[in-house]
Amino acid sequence: MPKFKPVPLGSTVNAARSDPRHWGPKTAGAIAKLPKGVQKFWGIPFEFVTPGSGNDLLVLADDSSVEIAVGAAGSHLVFAHFCDEKASTTVAGQSADYLNPVITAPGEHLADYVVVFEDGSEHRQRIRRRFEINQVQTRMQSGFTSRQHQDLSTVPFRGPYPDNAWGRWQTGVMVGDPPVSGRTAARDDRHGRANPAGSWTIYALELPDSSKKVTNVRIEATGAAAIAIGAITLFSGQNNPLRHLPLESIELEGAGTSADEIEVDVDLGVIARKRNIQHFDGTNWLNSPVKGWGEAPDDPEHIGSIDLAASADATLTVNGSEIEVGPLLESGEAVSNDG
């Protein structure tokens, strides 16, 4: 079974990105800059309808519903979607009332996504603002159960650092592009704070039974705010594809003598660092007749390594050979299928 299967929106698309009538002013402006065509976000491929050929979004601006055919089994339906900035249940005004695009109605119920299985059973998931779906523009208010489409960028935790950014660099990764400076005053960045980069919201809806064929997914909007879907991908795995395990350092034995010689990639994750480290043989160290602190070797052996944060369903590719990340992290070692 393939890991990913794009779900065509087909004839359900009913609006164009260039049509601003469903959206607040900032949302309408940001939609036009969202990625389009064939994309890969957080390692998951998406196939967006190409703008310019008519409608390219599925938009529900009232309490209507629509069904999208799926016709396959999987563990998660992964949506690239977003909602409008205007809210119906806010107690703090509207996003447009603030310089920064503040989310004023977190948790607002905007839709139900109802998964219909071949046996007639259904699975219903509430879609809430800043949880499963989010506004196109936010100011440091990312979703609680979803992600922005911008992938992780690697940053050198040993520096050099932009001013006032040492702490953020210690994670080794960052969502989106790293800032040039950590000291830019608000008065000097009025335009940037008012117009942050727009984002698709990427949400993985977990299916209760991955063995059951999904006939369709029914989108039932509440009408509280307009929502749009740009693409859907069916994922088959054991874990949420957007959830990464903690950062781990992994030795790459047999891949080459230097990290620079190793070609390495991961689909559902990020390689935070690639470097040479001193090879350590724990068994020989324990059996050594020299006890205590030990002795520094005269000619230490080095080996290529990576620092990896990835989903348990990720596949690590080393010099063209594939290694499943889940078994590797669970047992502490793994060998590619081709040896």
Side-chain angles (χ1 to χ4, degrees):
M1 178 183 296
K3 189 180 289 188
F4 307 107
K5 181 182 183 297
V7 177
L9 296 183
S11 60
T12 63
V13 293
N14 59 358
R17 297 189 189 206
S18 57
D19 185 353
R21 58 180 165 161
H22 303 298
W23 315 110
K26 285 189 175 180
T27 300
I31 290 172
K33 300 177 182 178
L34 291 176
K36 53 195 175 185
V38 178
Q39 298 288 335
K40 185 177 288 187
F41 302 139
W42 295 85
I44 303 168
F46 292 93
E47 295 183 2
F48 294 89
V49 178
T50 303
S53 57
N55 294 333
D56 48 33
L57 290 175
L58 168 56
V59 175
L60 288 87
D62 52 24
D63 58 349
S64 56
S65 65
V66 65
E67 291 185 350
I68 304 169
V70 178
S75 63
H76 296 76
L77 279 169
V78 189
F79 293 83
H81 57 183
F82 62 83
C83 66
D84 190 27
E85 65 198 65
K86 293 180 291 186
S88 298
T89 59
T90 176
V91 294
Q94 298 291 340
S95 289
D97 299 335
Y98 300 83
L99 171 64
N100 299 340
V102 177
I103 298 173
T104 60
E108 184 176 33
H109 182 201
L110 302 183
D112 283 346
Y113 288 180
V114 184
V115 181
V116 182
F117 295 96
E118 192 174 39
D119 62 4
S121 61
E122 296 183 351
H123 174 68
R124 181 177 295 268
Q125 174 63 54
R126 289 168 66 92
I127 304 300
R128 302 161 294 171
R129 188 189 298 269
R130 208 192 166 187
F131 283 79
E132 295 81 13
I133 198 169
N134 214 350
Q135 299 168 198
V136 178
Q137 288 183 319
T138 65
R139 181 64 181 175
M140 296 185 293
Q141 290 178 291
S142 53
F144 295 119
T145 59
S146 57
R147 293 196 183 272
Q148 298 167 298
H149 79 256
Q150 286 87 352
D151 288 334
L152 290 170
S153 300
T154 59
V155 292
F157 74 89
R158 295 184 183 275
Y161 319 105
D163 54 354
N164 204 36
W166 178 89
R168 296 185 68 184
W169 254 242
Q170 296 313 296
T171 62
V173 294
M174 183 174 296
V175 176
D177 296 326
V180 176
S181 172
R183 294 185 182 274
T184 304
R187 64 178 178 273
D188 299 327
D189 189 29
R190 186 177 181 86
H191 177 77
R193 290 171 182 264
N195 295 280
S199 304
W200 291 101
T201 301
I202 309 301
Y203 167 62
L205 191 164
E206 183 177 0
L207 303 178
D209 188 342
S210 61
S211 67
K212 293 167 62 173
K213 185 177 181 179
V214 178
T215 303
N216 60 68
V217 56
R218 187 169 66 249
I219 312 300
E220 299 179 355
T222 65
I227 65 171
I229 299 174
I232 305 173
T233 295
L234 182 67
F235 171 72
S236 296
Q238 301 296 320
N239 303 273
N240 189 316
L242 300 176
R243 184 179 298 128
H244 290 177
L245 298 173
L247 193 73
E248 295 280 359
S249 294
I250 300 171
E251 289 187 0
L252 302 175
E253 294 184 359
T257 58
S258 171
D260 295 334
E261 301 174 1
I262 303 172
E263 295 183 4
V264 60
D265 193 17
V266 64
D267 56 358
L268 295 172
V270 60
I271 297 170
R273 185 166 59 155
K274 187 169 67 170
R275 56 177 174 154
N276 293 319
I277 60 174
Q278 184 173 325
H279 179 62
F280 176 72
D281 189 324
T283 301
N284 288 342
W285 182 77
L286 289 173
N287 295 330
S288 173
V290 180
K291 305 300 181 182
W293 287 102
E295 297 177 342
D298 296 328
D299 186 18
E301 178 186 356
H302 288 81
I303 189 171
S305 75
I306 58 171
D307 291 347
L308 173 72
S311 164
D313 285 313
T315 299
L316 179 67
T317 304
V318 181
N319 291 341
S321 298
E322 294 185 347
I323 300 170
E324 298 306 315
V325 169
L328 167 64
L329 297 181
E330 184 175 351
S331 66
E333 60 182 11
V335 179
S336 63
N337 293 332
D338 58 5

